[in-house]
């Protein structure tokens, strides 16, 4: 699955999919770093989202939009659901199985989609549907990345009302202030403050475990809730209430997909070790502690405790420090989601689903630390509007879950393709696993659909808007390239007819082209208006492969046409940033080395004319034209020297 912005023929040997040499040594997964160090780092980044769930998940199940009486059968049933959800969804599905589906070390919906697409090469009927599913999962992620900072920070700051009841009117201003500060810091990067993430989250999870254990010791009988029979009994006696409760229970596993998405940062083993040895026990101890505290109280007290069980786990003198620590943890969780939005956007740009956007690297050492201004400010505005519109974390909880469960369901469908088509697992065993995952995912997704009127419409709306934008851009680029290719002149014909008749001038002309074949429109326009050709003409295409990294050895391929004409393809992985001058500086097989002062870069800028030709609805053509006008300049995106660039316009009817 290649970038529609960067298609090219393969004039020489292309990189081979699955060839480990495509990954340069500096991108081999964490060579030389200790497993313990990486595991601690993963705790600070990967588990922020799922780690902050105890602040609101248990509370929302009982005191949310579908209230439950906090008595023994319900508490034991909910705890059993939480535990087995963590075991099936997080431990079995993501940690044990899906994390094996790494695309050269990288994870996430788009990386999984690229892997599945390669496994189904030639099966166009299936590939198209799976691509749409993967794109929709990506679209849902953007909705999730707006809700997560809002609900996480707001739920933590609401702990101030437990410390002092009169603080209620300050919750929203404080939460908005924290969120604005968080988004303002993004341009500076997280390298400096990132070193604090690991120790803070280690302390946070340790506090979760201790608070839960203290209350659990007072009522150890709560441990029996780990028996799945309590969950089954809940469904047997009150099927409707149990079904509705699943819409809130799923909040305990939100962030599971982050384990897979962030796999490229730390590797599979450190994340697995952190989850099984430290994070999972800490989370379950805290949930069990909340349940034990409620069951130890009188029915009247239990009704009050359930309004904020997380903060009431701590004694009075420790509640304010707990609020501060929880707020720091939610900021870290929000930072991870925001960084994830930047990473997903970069992948989508490289894979041809989003127009070029301005991307800034905030760290010279860590290639993955990037900043995308338009995404940052859009997220900030939407997060603030969410806080102002929903006002409480309980209201936001109604909007949370649909995006996450939708993405989880899509991951299961993509995983099914991998198990049967690529990994060739035993059909019976793989079928049982997929049915189990589908049963759980569909139950959670359908339970969350009941929250659509109460706020669940928001992530669906954002998802459909993002899906429309992503698919419109991909389809529009495909149609535009098709129209350009229809009138393209073969290079060999052009070289024979024009090279000898046109005047040749000193220097090198590099014509950037996305066409698979043929002469770029910019070259034809230049010859038509200026009546000259440079001594050396390079038709250059940047091609984004469906692997995260392409090694330097495979960076460029060159084909010579004679008369000073060359076709060059520059290959990058979808996690790499194109730098054309750097790629040209070491290229071989084009005669004398390139000198930037003697090189001119010619870019074509298309102006679209909406038409009734088959392809897209007129409104989508106009939307695509707007996206094309607002895309980042190819000059900046490919790091071309501004004083050596010439832009030539043309009109295209799609």
């Amino acid at each position: 699955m290649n970038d529609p912005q960067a298609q090219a023929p393969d004039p020489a040997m292309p990189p081979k999919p699955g060839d480990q040499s495509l990954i340069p040594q500096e991108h081999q997964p964490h060579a030389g770093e200790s497993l313990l160090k990486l595991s601690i780092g993963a705790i600070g980044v990967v588990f922020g989202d799922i780690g902050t769930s105890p602040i609101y998940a248990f509370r929302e199940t009982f005191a949310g939009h579908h209230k439950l009486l906090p008595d023994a059968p319900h508490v034991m049933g909910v705890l059993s659901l939480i535990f087995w959800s963590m075991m099936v969804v997080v431990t079995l599905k993501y940690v044990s199985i899906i994390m094996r589906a790494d695309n050269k070390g990288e994870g996430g919906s788009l990386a999984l989609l690229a892997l599945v697409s390669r496994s189904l090469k030639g099966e166009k009927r299936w590939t198209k549907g799976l691509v749409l599913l993967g794109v929709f999962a990506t679209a849902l992620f953007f909705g999730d990345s707006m809700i997560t900072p809002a609900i996480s920070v707001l739920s933590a700051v609401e702990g101030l009302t437990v410390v002092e009841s009169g603080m209620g009117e300050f919750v929203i201003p404080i939460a908005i202030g924290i969120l604005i500060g968080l988004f303002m810091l993004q341009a500076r990067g997280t390298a400096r403050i990132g070193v604090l993430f690991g120790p803070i989250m280690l302390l946070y999870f340790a506090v979760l475990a201790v608070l839960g254990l203290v209350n659990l010791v007072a009522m150890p009988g709560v441990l029996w809730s780990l028996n799945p029979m309590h969950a089954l009994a809940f469904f047997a006696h009150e099927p409707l209430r149990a079904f509705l409760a699943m819409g809130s229970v799923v909040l305990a596993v939100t962030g599971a997909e982050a384990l897979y998405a962030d796999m490229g940062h730390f590797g599979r083993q450190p994340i697995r070790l952190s989850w099984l040895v430290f994070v999972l026990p800490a989370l379950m101890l805290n949930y069990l502690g909340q349940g034990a505290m409620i069951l130890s109280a009188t029915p009247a007290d239990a009704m009050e405790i359930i309004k904020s069980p997380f903060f009431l786990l701590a004694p009075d003198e420790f509640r304010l420090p707990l609020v501060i620590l929880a707020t720091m943890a939610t900021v870290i969780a929000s930072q991870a989601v925001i960084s994830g939005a930047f990473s997903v956007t970069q992948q989508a740009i490289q894979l041809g689903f989003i127009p070029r956007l301005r991307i800034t690297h905030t760290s010279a050492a860590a290639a993955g630390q990037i900043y995308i201004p338009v995404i940052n400010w859009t997220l900030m505005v939407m997060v603030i509007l969410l806080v102002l519109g929903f006002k409480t974390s309980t209201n936001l909880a109604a909007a949370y879950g649909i995006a996450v469960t939708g993405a989880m369901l899509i991951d299961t469908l993509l995983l099914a393709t991998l198990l049967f088509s690529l990994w060739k697992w035993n059909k019976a065993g793989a079928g049982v696993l997929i049915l189990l995952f589908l049963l759980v995912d569909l139950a959670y997704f359908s339970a969350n659909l009941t929250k659509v009127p109460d706020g669940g419409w928001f992530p669906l709306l954002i998802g459909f808007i993002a899906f429309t934008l992503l698919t419109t851009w991909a389809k529009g680029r495909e149609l535009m390239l098709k129209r350009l290719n229809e009138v393209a002149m073969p290079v060999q014909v052009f070289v024979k007819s024009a090279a000898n008749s046109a005047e040749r001038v000193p220097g090198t002309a590099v014509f950037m082209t996305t066409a698979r074949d043929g002469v770029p429109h910019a070259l034809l326009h230049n010859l038509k208006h200026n009546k000259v050709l440079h001594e050396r003409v390079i038709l250059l295409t940047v091609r984004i492969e469906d692997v995260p990294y392409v090694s330097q050895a495979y960076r460029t391929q060159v084909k010579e046409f004679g008369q000073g004409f060359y076709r060059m393809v520059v290959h990058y992985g979808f996690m790499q940033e194109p730098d054309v001058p750097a790629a040209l500086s070491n290229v071989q097989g084009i005669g004398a080395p390139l000198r930037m002062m003697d090189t001119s870069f010619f870019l074509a800028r298309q102006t679209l004319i909406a038409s009734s030709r088959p392809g897209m609805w007129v409104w989508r053509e106009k939307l695509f034209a707007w996206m094309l006008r607002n895309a980042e300049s190819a000059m900046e995106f490919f790091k071309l020297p501004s004083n050596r660039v010439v832009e030539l316009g043309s009109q295209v009817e799609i």
Side-chain angles (χ1 to χ4, degrees), residues 41-303:
I43 291 171
V45 176
V46 175
F47 298 101
D49 192 357
I50 197 169
T52 54
S53 295
I55 301 175
Y56 49 82
F58 199 73
R59 178 197 71 198
E60 289 305 316
T61 308
F62 287 91
H65 285 75
H66 304 292
K67 292 179 172 54
L68 281 177
L69 188 67
D71 56 11
H74 289 137
V75 170
M76 298 292 279
V78 168
L79 286 174
S80 187
L81 280 174
I82 289 175
F83 174 72
W84 286 103
S85 295
M86 285 189 175
M87 296 307 295
V88 173
V89 175
V90 186
T91 307
L92 179 59
K93 177 181 168 181
Y94 278 95
V95 174
S96 299
I97 299 178
I98 287 189
M99 286 182 66
R100 298 184 186 184
D102 65 299
N103 190 352
K104 299 294 183 256
E106 295 294 329
S109 294
L110 286 176
L112 180 59
L113 176 60
L115 198 64
V116 170
S117 296
R118 283 209 306 273
S119 73
L120 289 177
K121 209 164 189 179
E123 299 284 343
K124 292 184 178 179
R125 181 167 59 93
W126 289 103
T127 302
K128 185 175 181 180
L130 290 171
V131 166
L132 290 177
L133 279 176
V135 171
F136 191 61
T138 303
L140 289 174
F141 175 81
F142 287 109
D144 184 31
S145 62
M146 295 172 187
I147 299 175
T148 296
I151 190 174
S152 299
V153 173
L154 193 55
S155 63
V157 176
E158 283 172 347
L160 290 172
T161 61
V162 179
V163 178
E164 177 55 60
S165 57
M167 293 291 290
E169 59 184 298
F170 300 105
V171 168
I172 291 179
I174 291 173
I176 289 177
I178 291 172
L179 289 166
I180 289 176
L182 176 62
F183 283 101
M184 293 286 286
L185 285 173
Q186 296 303 309
R188 298 176 179 270
T190 58
R192 292 181 180 177
I193 60 174
V195 296
L196 299 174
F197 286 3
I200 290 174
M201 292 306 293
L202 277 171
L203 175 62
Y204 172 75
F205 281 115
V207 169
L208 289 190
V210 170
L211 290 176
L213 188 60
V214 168
N215 286 271
L216 180 59
V217 169
M219 193 170 188
V222 173
L223 286 170
W224 285 108
S225 64
L226 303 185
N227 187 332
M229 295 306 297
H230 287 283
L232 295 174
F234 186 15
F235 272 94
H237 293 109
E238 297 178 279
L240 179 59
R241 286 184 178 274
F243 172 73
L244 294 174
M246 291 188 73
S248 297
V249 168
V250 74
L251 297 175
V253 295
T254 55
E257 70 283 359
L259 278 64
Y260 179 48
D262 290 328
M263 183 167 59
H265 294 291
F266 300 97
R268 182 187 305 130
Q269 286 304 114
I271 292 176
R272 284 178 173 171
L273 181 65
S274 299
W275 171 252
L276 294 172
V277 174
F278 191 68
V279 177
L280 174 61
L283 290 175
M284 276 315 304
L285 281 173
N286 194 266
Y287 284 119
L288 290 168
Q290 291 185 44
M293 177 179 60
I294 291 167
L295 293 181
S296 300
T298 63
D301 288 341
M303 294 298 292

Side-chain angles (χ1 to χ4, degrees), residues 138-150 179-180 182-184 186 334-345 371-387 458 462:
T138 303
L140 289 174
F141 175 81
F142 287 109
D144 184 31
S145 62
M146 295 172 187
I147 299 175
T148 296
L179 289 166
I180 289 176
L182 176 62
F183 283 101
M184 293 286 286
Q186 296 303 309
S334 302
Q335 173 63 59
V337 171
I338 296 167
S339 299
F342 294 156
S343 178
V344 166
T345 301
Y371 168 67
I372 305 178
V374 66
I375 299 297
N376 185 66
W377 302 124
T378 301
L379 286 179
M380 187 187 80
V381 170
M382 296 305 298
V383 167
I384 291 172
L385 289 177
L386 279 170
V387 173
F458 177 81
I462 296 298

Side-chain angles (χ1 to χ4, degrees), residues 609-625:
I609 303 173
S611 72
S612 57
R613 294 182 66 172
M616 287 199 302
W617 295 98
V618 173
W619 69 267
R620 289 189 76 190
E621 290 183 6
K622 292 181 177 179
L623 175 61
F624 174 66

Side-chain angles (χ1 to χ4, degrees), residues 300-424:
D301 288 341
M303 294 298 292
E304 290 301 314
I305 292 172
I306 200 60
K307 295 177 181 178
S308 191
F310 177 80
F311 293 106
L312 290 173
L313 282 175
D316 291 348
E317 60 272 21
F318 292 112
R319 280 178 193 160
L320 182 58
L322 180 59
V323 170
I324 295 172
L325 180 61
T327 302
M328 294 170 70
T330 57
V331 168
I332 293 171
S334 302
Q335 173 63 59
V337 171
I338 296 167
S339 299
F342 294 156
S343 178
V344 166
T345 301
Q346 183 189 37
Q347 290 184 44
I349 291 171
Q350 303 291 54
L351 292 172
F353 293 111
I354 293 180
R356 291 185 296 263
L357 299 174
R358 184 186 299 274
I359 299 176
T360 303
H361 281 261
T362 58
S363 171
Q369 291 192 17
I370 59 175
Y371 168 67
I372 305 178
V374 66
I375 299 297
N376 185 66
W377 302 124
T378 301
L379 286 179
M380 187 187 80
V381 170
M382 296 305 298
V383 167
I384 291 172
L385 289 177
L386 279 170
V387 173
L388 292 174
F390 285 86
K391 294 184 172 59
T392 67
S393 59
T394 293
N395 292 334
L396 272 169
Y400 206 24
I402 286 184
V404 174
T405 53
M408 287 180 176
L409 179 58
I410 292 171
D411 284 347
T412 296
L413 295 174
L414 294 176
L415 176 64
T417 306
L418 279 182
L419 294 185
F420 291 112
S421 299
L422 184 62
W423 294 349
K424 307 293 185 183

Side-chain angles (χ1 to χ4, degrees), residues 355-357 605 623-633:
R356 291 185 296 263
L357 299 174
R605 180 173 286 274
L623 175 61
F624 174 66
W626 173 80
M627 296 172 76
L628 187 65
R629 287 195 303 272
N630 289 278
E632 176 77 353
S633 166

